[in-house]
Every structure is written in C-alpha cells, then in structure tokens.
Amino acid sequence: ICDQIVLINAGKKLLDGSVAKVKNDFKENLWKLSYTGNISNLDENLFKIFSQKDDELILQLHTDTTTNQVLAYLIQQQVNITGFTEILPSLNDIFIHLVENTGTVTRSFSK
C-alpha cells in the first residue's frame, strides 16, 4: 500500500524509511525450506532448525553462512527441495519489537 513508512510511539519517531529497507534491517536470517521425502540427521553447522512441521523447516542461518552453502549442503544430503524462501518480519512485528517494553500507548502512522 505504501513505499515509505514512519513509526511513531508516544510522539517520538522510532524509525522511517522504505518498507523494504525497514524489513531488511529487522530480518533474523530465517528461511522457510519446503521439501518432499524424509530429512534426518542434518548437521547444524550452517544453520539451526528453528521449527519443523510436516514437509517444512524454518531454518535460522548462522551469521557467516550463505544461502548457497545451505542449498549445496541440502542437495548433497539428497533433500528434494520444493521451495526456499526468506522470511521477513511484518511491519506489525517490527513495531511491537520496538515498543514492547515502553509501557506507553502506541500508534503507527504511514505516509
């Protein structure tokens, strides 16, 4: 709906910028891996398994790990990958994160 956003809490600007930049600044290096078949005994040197459900894993890549390294490792392990997507936080999640401990009434405005 908008390209630029300003988040305000208790009359103070928390952040502003493009929606893409704000989401990128608050991402947590989470990736959704969809697959078919069985996955077992994955070595977590490149990532941590954040959650697992049915044929889907949420992976949190270690800081120095690239997506290419993860995909190459999974292919080597003969994982049949059907999807690999970065998970970015919602603007609501970012806003809550920024004001969660302020104890003040919060409002957000976008321009």
Side-chain angles (χ1 to χ4, degrees):
I1 296 175
C2 61
D3 294 327
Q4 298 287 318
I5 189 162
V6 175
L7 292 180
I8 299 171
N9 182 49
K12 294 182 181 181
K13 180 174 77 170
L14 299 176
L15 62 81
D16 68 317
S18 73
V19 173
K21 182 180 180 329
V22 169
K23 286 185 171 191
N24 192 51
D25 288 347
F26 284 87
K27 68 183 180 180
E28 297 177 327
N29 217 9
L30 294 175
W31 293 80
K32 179 171 77 171
L33 170 71
S34 303
Y35 63 93
T36 58
N38 285 331
I39 288 186
S40 60
N41 301 323
L42 291 180
D43 184 357
E44 294 191 28
N45 285 329
L46 298 174
F47 54 82
K48 172 184 151 189
I49 298 175
F50 198 76
S51 68
Q52 184 170 7
K53 181 178 87 171
D54 300 325
D55 291 341
E56 183 178 289
L57 292 174
I58 304 298
L59 306 175
Q60 186 169 39
L61 278 56
H62 299 316
T63 305
D64 57 343
T65 300
T66 67
T67 54
N68 285 348
Q69 289 172 315
V70 172
L71 290 171
Y73 169 74
L74 294 170
I75 291 168
Q76 179 185 21
Q77 298 302 309
Q78 299 181 341
V79 174
N80 186 22
I81 300 166
T82 59
F84 191 67
T85 309
E86 185 174 23
I87 301 172
L88 296 175
S90 70
L91 293 175
N92 187 57
D93 290 340
I94 293 167
F95 183 73
I96 289 170
H97 171 77
L98 290 172
V99 299
E100 64 185 349
N101 294 319
T102 63
T104 61
V105 176
T106 59
R107 298 180 68 191
S108 65
F109 301 94
S110 60
K111 60 177 181 178

